[in-house]
Amino acid sequence: MGYVGLPLAIEFSKKRPVVGFDNNSNRVQTLQTGHDYTHEVDETALTDNPNLQFTDDPSKLAQINVFIVTVPTPIDQHNQPDFTSLKGASKTIGQYLKKDGIVIYESTVYPGATEEICVPMLEQHSGLTYNRDFFCGYSPERINPGDKSRPLSQITKITAGSTPETAAFVDKLYQEIITVGTYPVASIKVAEAAKVIENTQRDLNIALINEFAIIFNQLNIETEDVLQAAGTKWNFLPFKPGLVGGHCLGVDPYYLTYCAQAQGYHPEIILAGRRLNDQMGNYVAALLIKKMIHCDINIKQSRVLIMGLTFKENCHDVRNTRVIDMIHELNDYKIHADVMDPYASSEQAQKVFGLSLVKQPKANDYDAIVLAVAHRQFIEMGSQTIRAFGKKNHVFFDIKSAFPKSESDIRL
């Protein structure tokens, strides 16, 4: 019941009875009281909804005939796919799966993973046979956290099934809630591949722009000026440089490269893009330190205010944020970094990163200020208010180019 599962449960509950299952008891309890920490849904739908019940009790799954799996699929410390949650979900479902049941996966995986990893576990724990006693579907999630202009119902849904009849059922099911339409494809593998390349393509495009930014910095050219000029051509893609994190762009390409390497092919371009994006946190920290030195600011024991910790703007999710790379690099230089973020959970920041978020920074207190995430609140504050947190001699680094270049000292 996270960023993907909860909106899905609410939309389907408008049409039919839904059980929202999560093995996190605290998550279930907060949903039952009408609170969603992701702030992605209208909370009135959590309590004033007779068609929707939340539970952490697996026995409640015995009444289900269609399961939709939306668990996270992260990578481990070696950038290898971590299927722990996916396997756990498949095992739990297998224990309650009945004849003619359908299991639909939305979690992002490499092409073939659903039938190679999930189906055997469903068979093992149910005692049923795939495509005879039970069937599978795949409809990759496309939720864009923090984007209120594109709710679930307004995002085209790819659908697939393990048999033609299952494919037709899955497509018809999603048509009930997707007002802009669905896109049925030939197989589960095609649907899996389509999802994984969506994020890989975007990751590579941003990596290319990040490399442009590094080159233009060496040439003393303003990156934003170049991008705006190039953008006057109709087919120039409007990507911007930045820190690439989150549970999609920074993760999904590794699922595709893992699959490719298992087939004996070493992907060059995808991994090159990943390496470049993974090192951007250290790069922006180096740019900041260099600028501070040029401004005669003593680096050791200096104080920096980092504005933004989540992996993207107007989103509460701190998973796989690359802002932390910059913070760690600054700490290595004995620079103290305070972090403020109106969206991030203080509890999560402390639990995951050991960070205590600053709610209200002091005025005239920092040697440098870094706008790392362009949250709506930060933009509304304006550059003058932001710069007031800095000492008389300070550096303002606008990583996101959120303000005109005349209002900051350095941009990416």
Side-chain angles (χ1 to χ4, degrees):
M1 288 292 98
Y3 286 88
V4 177
L6 183 59
L8 201 62
I10 290 175
E11 287 302 315
F12 272 121
S13 71
K14 298 175 182 178
K15 303 292 183 179
R16 57 183 70 244
V18 174
V19 172
F21 176 82
D22 199 302
N23 59 9
N24 183 332
S25 299
N26 291 333
R27 175 62 168 162
V28 170
Q29 290 172 9
T30 56
L31 290 174
Q32 289 173 337
T33 58
H35 177 65
D36 168 35
Y37 73 83
T38 71
H39 299 279
E40 290 292 320
V41 302
D42 180 356
E43 293 188 341
T44 60
L46 301 179
T47 53
D48 303 330
N49 191 339
N51 262 355
L52 178 60
Q53 61 172 298
F54 298 106
T55 184
D56 59 352
D57 179 5
S59 68
K60 298 290 185 180
L61 302 181
Q63 61 184 294
I64 304 300
N65 53 14
V66 176
F67 298 86
I68 300 180
V69 181
T70 62
V71 296
T73 45
I75 52 176
D76 63 20
Q77 60 182 343
H78 304 296
N79 293 330
Q80 299 293 297
D82 180 354
F83 290 116
T84 302
S85 295
L86 199 63
K87 290 179 178 179
S90 299
K91 176 182 178 180
T92 300
I93 291 171
Q95 293 168 349
Y96 297 94
L97 186 60
K98 300 185 293 290
K99 185 172 173 54
D100 295 326
I102 295 178
V103 186
I104 304 169
Y105 289 88
E106 289 213 3
S107 305
T108 304
V109 293
Y110 61 76
T114 298
E115 293 175 298
E116 292 171 9
I117 294 174
C118 303
V119 167
M121 297 204 70
L122 293 172
E123 289 186 317
Q124 176 187 349
H125 294 281
S126 69
L128 302 175
T129 301
Y130 180 51
N131 280 343
R132 187 190 71 186
D133 302 321
F134 74 92
F135 307 89
C136 283
Y138 190 80
S139 182
E141 64 90 4
R142 282 177 159 178
I143 292 288
N144 189 25
D147 186 354
K148 300 301 183 182
S149 67
R150 294 183 181 87
L152 173 64
S153 63
Q154 297 297 308
I155 303 174
T156 301
K157 209 78 164 68
I158 295 172
T159 64
S162 57
T163 66
E165 295 78 15
T166 306
F169 174 87
V170 172
D171 191 64
K172 185 177 180 180
L173 183 68
Y174 279 101
Q175 283 180 17
E176 294 183 355
I177 65 171
I178 307 298
T179 59
V180 295
T182 59
Y183 188 86
V185 296
S187 67
I188 288 176
K189 277 189 176 182
V190 170
E192 291 168 326
K195 171 57 181 178
V196 79
I197 71 164
E198 286 175 20
N199 290 332
T200 300
Q201 182 189 65
R202 184 168 175 80
D203 185 50
L204 279 171
N205 277 319
I206 298 175
L208 179 62
I209 302 299
N210 277 337
E211 188 157 66
F212 287 161
I214 294 171
I215 294 170
F216 296 149
N217 178 60
Q218 296 293 321
L219 298 174
N220 198 28
I221 301 174
E222 182 69 34
T223 301
E224 184 68 12
D225 288 348
V226 178
L227 295 179
Q228 288 181 1
T232 59
K233 190 179 180 187
W234 73 91
N235 59 355
F236 185 81
L237 302 178
F239 287 93
K240 289 189 175 184
L243 303 175
V244 184
H247 47 88
C248 290
L249 300 195
V251 173
D252 296 351
Y254 287 121
Y255 276 75
L256 185 56
T257 58
Y258 172 85
C259 177
Q261 289 168 332
Q263 299 299 316
Y265 176 75
H266 182 75
E268 302 284 353
I269 297 174
I270 298 172
L271 288 174
R274 276 283 76 233
R275 285 193 296 271
L276 194 144
N277 282 340
D278 278 345
Q279 63 89 38
M280 284 303 291
N282 292 344
Y283 176 74
V284 296
L287 285 182
L288 176 64
I289 291 170
K290 183 178 179 180
K291 186 66 176 180
M292 291 170 69
I293 292 173
H294 286 174
C295 293
D296 295 323
I297 296 174
N298 184 27
I299 297 300
K300 195 171 184 179
Q301 305 305 326
S302 60
R303 294 172 57 80
V304 175
L305 176 63
I306 308 295
M307 301 183 69
L309 178 63
T310 60
F311 83 90
K312 64 178 290 189
E313 65 276 2
N314 309 320
C315 172
H316 296 75
D317 200 343
V318 299
R319 286 179 295 173
N320 198 33
T321 175
R322 300 274 55 93
V323 176
I324 195 65
D325 298 339
M326 174 177 57
I327 295 171
H328 287 160
E329 185 72 2
L330 294 175
N331 289 340
D332 285 345
Y333 282 86
K334 305 301 181 183
I335 296 174
H336 176 80
D338 280 345
V339 183
M340 70 176 295
D341 194 310
Y343 283 88
S345 162
S346 297
E347 180 182 348
Q348 281 293 99
Q350 183 63 51
K351 180 181 178 180
V352 179
F353 304 116
L355 293 175
S356 297
L357 299 182
V358 175
K359 291 187 177 180
Q360 183 56 50
K362 297 179 181 178
N364 306 312
D365 198 41
Y366 295 96
D367 299 287
I369 303 163
V370 180
L371 182 63
V373 185
H375 288 316
R376 187 179 301 108
Q377 288 92 327
F378 294 159
I379 305 304
E380 292 172 350
M381 287 171 65
S383 60
Q384 287 188 335
T385 300
I386 291 174
R387 298 199 73 143
F389 297 132
K391 298 176 181 177
K392 183 176 181 180
N393 181 26
H394 73 273
V395 171
F396 178 31
F397 190 171
D398 182 4
I399 289 179
K400 304 298 293 185
S401 297
F403 299 105
K405 61 182 178 180
S406 59
E407 298 179 17
S408 62
D409 301 303
I410 180 175
R411 302 201 298 179
L412 189 57

